[in-house]
Amino acid sequence: MSGVKKLRTDLNRSTNVVYQAHHVSRTKRGQVVGTRGGGFRGCTIWLTGLSGAGKTTISFALEEYLLSHAIPCYSLDGDNIRHGLNKNLGFSAIDREENIRRIAEVAKLFADAGLVCITSFISPFSKDRDEARRIHVSAGLPFFEIFVHAPLDLCESRDVKGLYKKARAGEIKGFTGIDSEYERPEASELVLKTGELTVNECIHQVLELLRERSIVPSEIVEEVNELFVPENKLDLAVADASTLPTISITKLDLQWVQVLAEGWASPLRGFMREREFLQVLHFGSLLDGGAINLSVPIVLAVSAETKQDLDGCAAIALEFQGSRVAILRNPEFYEHRKEERCARQWGTTCPQHPYIKMVMEGGDWLVGGDLEVLERIKWNDGLDQYRLTPQELKQKFKDMKADAIFAFQLRNPVHNGHALLMQDTKRRLLERGYKTPVLLLHPLGGWTKDDDVPLDWRMKQHAAVLEEGVLDPANTIVAIFPSPMMYAGPTEVQWHCRARMIAGANFYIVGRDPAGMPHPETKQDLYEPSHGSKVLTMAPGLTSVEIIPFRVAAYNKTKRSMDFYDKERHAEFEFISGTKMRKLARSGENPPDGFMAPKAWKVLTEYYSSLQKDM
């Protein structure tokens, strides 16, 4: 018998000890640890399965997800624990039993402290797992055994650590699955078939289990609420709409109908009622059912005459250019306090601000209600194939086997400074261990002010950027975000970020002065250019997306390319403003080599040339 074994087995058992109860209750602990919802969440998630089944991958991904949603948790990994607490244990049957006993006791302490404790251990023997459960049950703590199931041949094909190869060669004895049995759980709370499911799908199955058992709040499982009428009820809804009184809506209103219908503003069920409007206006969040970031009012303005005619109706049809596109159920009319709304949403009431101008000219009443959209909104402009819903984007990410999605919001043409940031983001994600990061290049496709480059020209320019290989077409999705632009600075940028989060993005690139514009009167920046990125890093409810601040890029005259600005080498850089870029494009001149892909610049010059022809 080795000295280590003797040291361990000959220890005297503890005697004359009495368990001391804590003065702090679990209820009190739950109020302090993980205040989201204020409940005690302590539990243990016990991941068991063969080496290579995916336990550690799921454990760390689940830990990251829970922490990003302000749920305190900690992952105990088998290899990591054997570097410290269990470094004096081997892999004999008795050592494995002691290994699991110690982990179960440690996990119990973590759970008792109010954390969600995730353990990832092969734990091959049923009696050891049953003992781990008993330890938790006797302490009144939830215990969830999850079988991470992958066939042996799949685990061997993964064999990241090369252990199966060594076991087959006889270099490792007693290796689970080869010459030591793995006893499959008979009654685990969940089975994750990692040969068939993605990591994200596994995580969401675990989250659903935790939600059902009241460990995590329901809003942590981010669902997309589409508001389209189901196919089997469409004929009835169309017939119903034909009999209802109508409200004629504008193109801007229809764009917001599209945003709501496709689920970008989930969990909204329609245009905001007064309660939702006040929550968003004063707190930047929806508060019923947990704080959910939603920083901009999504409302439908109507005239006093319309309010007078329709107040009390059970349902109203929304009509655009003679076609009934949606039904608003149980409508609620309330006063549209325009000046107060503008002061809070934009921080100004300047009537020359283009969106504020539309608000001030709009109706004096707002109407909210549950929206039923009769069919998908189509604009028939040759770009509808790019208008992918959140659900469709999620499916594309899945098909591409993306393990990281980084989104870039833009309303302007892409120059090589933007591309540099996107390329650098991809490089950093690869360095962090992600295998297939995918870029969501997501231009805003709703209303923009008159002097912005129109959507169709921007899409041509983006296509040219991809064609020239400035961005990798194989790992880039170009899609259109249907929201109108409000030019509301840091308030609006939260909306832009959260909408991409709904679509599955977990990294968001934020630029300089996002959603900003010059003050219409003073011509100075309406918002401090760095505040957008600062606000995003602090905003409530955006914790499942990591913010990547925009690093300042400028034209490096020495390298003849866009480069990250270094103030120590200031003389090497030239800042090419949007004004200068537009002036060059209008005159048909070329920018410095390396500023923009040549084919992309050609699209821009063609656009400004077309403006002069129209004059």
Side-chain angles (χ1 to χ4, degrees), residues 329-358:
R329 302 278 184 192
N330 304 312
E332 174 190 344
F333 291 87
Y334 55 100
E335 187 180 358
H336 189 188
R337 299 182 60 82
K338 301 175 187 176
E339 187 173 10
E340 180 187 0
R341 173 190 171 186
C342 293
R344 291 187 178 277
Q345 185 172 347
W346 283 275
T348 180
T349 57
C350 177
Q352 281 75 48
H353 184 291
Y355 205 104
I356 291 176
K357 183 174 185 290
M358 293 191 293

Side-chain angles (χ1 to χ4, degrees), residues 63-182:
E63 178 186 42
E64 181 181 24
Y65 190 96
L66 289 172
L67 283 171
S68 73
H69 286 78
I71 304 294
C73 64
Y74 194 82
S75 182
L76 299 174
D77 180 70
D79 283 1
N80 292 352
I81 292 296
R82 283 184 178 271
H83 277 83
L85 176 66
N86 291 351
K87 67 188 298 183
N88 63 334
L89 297 178
F91 290 91
S92 66
I94 191 170
D95 279 10
R96 283 185 160 186
E97 181 180 346
E98 175 62 11
N99 181 52
I100 298 305
R101 188 196 68 80
R102 291 184 191 179
I103 294 310
E105 292 288 356
V106 171
K108 181 191 75 172
L109 295 176
F110 274 77
D112 191 43
L115 279 70
V116 174
C117 185
I118 311 162
T119 70
S120 50
F121 292 79
I122 294 173
S123 44
F125 305 127
S126 296
K127 66 180 180 61
D128 296 339
R129 297 193 301 266
D130 292 343
E131 176 63 12
R133 183 187 295 273
R134 187 199 64 76
I135 288 170
H136 284 74
V137 171
S138 64
L141 292 165
F143 180 91
F144 306 108
E145 182 183 53
I146 297 179
F147 177 29
V148 183
H149 177 43
L152 178 61
D153 59 344
L154 177 60
C155 294
E156 284 199 70
S157 70
R158 292 170 175 170
D159 202 16
V160 177
K161 305 170 188 175
L163 300 178
Y164 281 102
K165 185 177 181 181
K166 291 180 179 179
R168 292 289 187 189
E171 298 173 27
I172 301 177
K173 300 297 184 184
F175 191 79
T176 304
I178 303 300
D179 57 355
S180 181
E181 184 183 4
Y182 177 80

